[in-house]
């Protein structure tokens, strides 16, 4: 088995809490056996200087990156990390703490693994998603491993871009198939990757969320789906005088501040916001966002399309029940009952033709996300 570790400078950080995750790769109900191979470790650290906290996770996914058929198992392992991250963050009051996930991911498409984990989590509505699962930026590093068998980037540093600013990336040696590693200069078949981050202010994060709200209403390509807490924070930014509602002049003023000038589609968005009232309440503010998400689908669609393509084993452009059952069996971070999967399948299959197409899946995932909001409070 391959392992991983986390280390930190004790002069700069204190360890607040830690957790380890043993991946369950498969289970045999007949024999009552659970097969485990790899792990992840999670640590919550506090800066001794700023007192800010940061959550860091390190993992080592299934080997053989040259074999894309292993991506289902890697996605299962990623799903287990993300589920553990939610539980760990909730336990320590750290859901709003920035996250960095790093390690040997052993795959050529990190986005596909994210897409699979997010898709299955949204299909299984009992699962709560960590904000990191969608706000998951990727540090550009270049090729990290060149051997006689491969030349690819399989190591990664992923981070929350709304909460962390990427300041610098250490240059890595040029790697070519003509000079495979390990070598006299590089003692490992991986080169180390190093990135430097700066914690973003809460105000900056609120501004980014406020931009995402507008982009969704304007029909532009938003970057991440927003949860209810984020939308409530964005509302407070637009309602800068604290009256509990947003007037059209205030909305325009804040938009000009966010984008430098009044953005395109400002008139269209204002017309939809103030069609029935001169003031925009928080409930209406959130409802407009949910309506736009249901119409356009969740941000991050490329990852969801990659997940659909991985599930579509016969590549006919649709999923039948057996393909969805196989996807849950191979990729879900925990066992989901067959009758629950069948129920989900028939709900997603809106036209009742016995298959799920990409549009049906995307519409269901958007509805699954938005149904989690409580607008009554």
């Amino acid at each position: 088995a391959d392992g991983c570790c986390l280390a930190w400078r004790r002069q700069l950080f204190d360890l607040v809490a830690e957790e380890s995750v043993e991946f369950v790769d498969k289970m045999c109900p007949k024999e009552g056996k659970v097969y485990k191979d790899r792990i992840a470790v999670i640590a919550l650290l506090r800066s001794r200087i700023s007192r800010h906290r940061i959550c860091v996770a390190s993992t080592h996914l299934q080997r053989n990156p040259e074999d894309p058929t292993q991506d289902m198992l890697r996605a299962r392992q990623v799903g287990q990390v993300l589920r553990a991250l939610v539980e760990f963050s909730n336990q320590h009051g750290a859901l709003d703490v920035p996250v960095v996930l790093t390690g040997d991911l052993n795959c050529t498409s990190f986005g596909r693994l994210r897409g699979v984990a997010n898709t299955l989590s949204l299909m299984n509505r009992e699962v709560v998603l960590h904000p990191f699962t969608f706000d998951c930026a990727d540090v550009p590093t270049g090729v990290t491993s060149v051997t006689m068998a491969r030349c690819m980037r399989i190591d990664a540093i992923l981070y929350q871009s709304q909460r962390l600013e990427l300041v610098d990336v250490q240059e890595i040696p040029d790697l070519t198939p003509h000079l495979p590693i390990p070598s006299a200069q590089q003692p490992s078949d991986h080169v180390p990757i190093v990135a430097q981050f700066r914690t973003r202010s809460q105000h900056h994060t609120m501004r980014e969320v406020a931009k995402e709200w507008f982009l969704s209403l304007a029909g532009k390509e938003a970057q991440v789906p927003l949860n209810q807490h984020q939308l409530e924070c964005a509302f407070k930014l637009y309602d800068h005088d604290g009256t509990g509602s947003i007037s059209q002049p205030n909305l325009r003023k804040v938009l000009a501040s966010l984008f430098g000038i009044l953005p395109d589609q400002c008139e269209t968005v204002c017309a939809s916001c103030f069609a029935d009232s001169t003031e925009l309440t928080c409930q209406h503010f959130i409802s407009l966002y949910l309506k736009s998400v249901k119409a356009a689908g969740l941000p991050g669609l490329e990852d969801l399309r990659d997940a659909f393509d991985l599930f579509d084993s016969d590549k006919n452009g649709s999923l039948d029940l057996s393909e969805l059952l196989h996807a849950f069996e191979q990729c879900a971070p925990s066992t989901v009952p067959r009758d629950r999967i069948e129920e989900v399948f028939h709900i997603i299959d809106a036209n009742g033709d016995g298959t799920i197409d990409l549009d049906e899946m995307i519409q269901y995932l958007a509805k699954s996300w938005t149904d989690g909001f409580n607008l009554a409070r």
Side-chain angles (χ1 to χ4, degrees):
D2 292 317
C4 58
C5 77
L6 281 174
W8 60 93
R9 294 175 63 182
R10 288 183 294 177
Q11 298 94 331
L12 298 179
F13 293 97
D14 290 320
L15 177 65
V16 178
E18 55 85 20
E19 184 69 72
S20 60
V21 183
E22 287 188 275
F23 295 143
V24 176
D25 291 343
K26 63 179 180 179
M27 293 170 285
C28 180
K30 293 182 179 179
E31 300 178 6
K33 288 185 178 180
V34 175
Y35 294 87
K36 299 180 180 181
D37 185 13
R38 293 159 189 269
I39 68 166
V41 290
I42 305 172
L44 182 62
L45 304 174
R46 178 183 286 112
S47 168
R48 290 192 164 192
I49 300 172
S50 68
R51 309 307 293 169
H52 290 155
R53 293 182 299 170
I54 185 168
C55 186
V56 185
S58 177
T59 190
H60 196 146
L61 302 185
Q62 173 67 12
R63 62 177 69 86
N64 297 332
E66 304 86 1
D67 183 4
T69 63
Q70 296 296 318
D71 277 353
M72 281 197 164
L73 177 52
R74 295 182 191 110
R76 181 189 185 98
Q77 293 169 342
V78 167
Q80 291 175 75
V81 175
L82 296 177
R83 173 172 284 191
L85 185 61
V86 170
E87 295 173 355
F88 178 80
S89 299
N90 278 327
Q91 181 181 354
H92 300 287
L95 268 178
D96 60 345
V97 171
V99 172
V100 174
L101 170 64
T102 186
D104 180 357
L105 302 190
N106 268 326
C107 69
T108 56
S109 174
F110 308 141
R112 180 185 299 125
L113 301 188
R114 289 196 304 267
V116 170
N118 289 340
T119 296
L120 295 183
S121 294
L122 286 168
M123 285 184 176
N124 183 17
R125 294 189 177 200
E126 297 177 2
V127 176
V128 178
L129 295 177
H130 193 285
F132 172 73
T133 59
F134 287 104
D135 181 17
C136 183
D138 187 0
V139 172
T141 60
V143 171
T144 63
S145 182
V146 174
T147 67
M148 299 300 292
R150 62 177 180 246
C151 177
M152 59 183 65
R153 182 175 77 112
I154 57 178
D155 306 277
I157 302 174
L158 309 175
Y159 66 100
Q160 279 183 272
S161 60
Q162 286 187 350
R163 298 191 174 275
L164 293 171
E165 177 189 359
L166 179 60
V167 176
D168 196 13
V169 181
Q170 180 175 297
E171 185 176 356
I172 64 175
D174 290 331
L175 301 177
T176 69
H178 306 293
L179 298 171
I181 54 177
S183 66
Q185 293 74 32
Q186 298 290 337
S188 170
D189 61 346
H190 299 254
V191 294
I193 53 177
V194 180
Q196 182 179 358
F197 299 98
R198 180 186 296 122
T199 304
R200 296 190 188 276
S201 69
Q202 183 178 0
H203 182 67
H204 176 92
T205 301
M206 289 177 63
R207 287 174 62 88
E208 292 302 307
V209 170
K211 287 181 181 179
E212 291 288 314
W213 175 85
F214 172 82
L215 292 173
S216 291
L217 265 66
K220 305 283 188 179
E221 185 174 354
Q223 299 300 310
V224 296
L226 304 177
N227 60 37
Q228 186 158 346
H229 175 69
Q230 289 172 316
L231 287 167
E232 289 168 351
C233 290
F235 177 82
K236 291 178 182 177
L237 186 70
Y238 284 106
D239 176 28
H240 67 279
D241 55 3
T243 63
S245 62
I246 305 168
S247 66
Q248 187 165 166
N250 279 351
L251 180 62
R252 292 173 177 273
K253 185 185 299 183
V254 175
L255 287 175
S257 171
L258 292 174
F259 293 96
I261 58 173
L262 281 176
D264 293 341
Q265 303 299 318
C266 176
E267 297 302 326
T268 303
V269 170
C270 284
S272 64
C273 289
F274 302 101
D276 302 316
S277 175
T278 58
E279 297 288 328
L280 183 61
T281 65
C282 184
Q283 182 172 340
H284 192 200
F285 179 89
I286 296 176
S287 296
L288 288 169
Y289 174 80
L290 299 184
K291 181 180 178 181
S292 69
V293 169
K294 287 180 179 179
L298 286 171
L301 288 179
E302 196 57 42
D303 290 351
L304 303 181
R305 292 189 184 101
D306 284 346
F308 184 90
D309 184 63
L310 184 65
F311 298 162
D312 182 16
S313 57
D314 59 10
K315 305 305 176 188
N316 69 347
S318 63
L319 305 180
D320 59 28
L321 178 58
S322 65
E323 287 173 315
L324 189 63
L325 288 168
H326 182 70
F328 268 92
E329 178 186 358
Q330 296 297 315
C331 304
S334 61
T335 302
V336 179
R338 180 188 175 100
D339 57 351
R340 169 60 183 156
I341 301 172
E342 292 177 350
E343 178 187 0
V344 169
F345 179 87
H346 293 302
I347 292 173
I348 301 176
D349 179 21
N351 60 9
D353 65 356
T355 62
I356 297 172
D357 61 35
L358 179 60
D359 288 339
E360 287 175 326
M361 188 186 82
I362 288 175
Q363 289 175 7
Y364 176 83
L365 296 180
K367 186 176 186 301
S368 179
W369 177 263
T370 58
D371 283 352
F373 285 72
N374 176 17
L375 298 185
R377 66 179 187 175

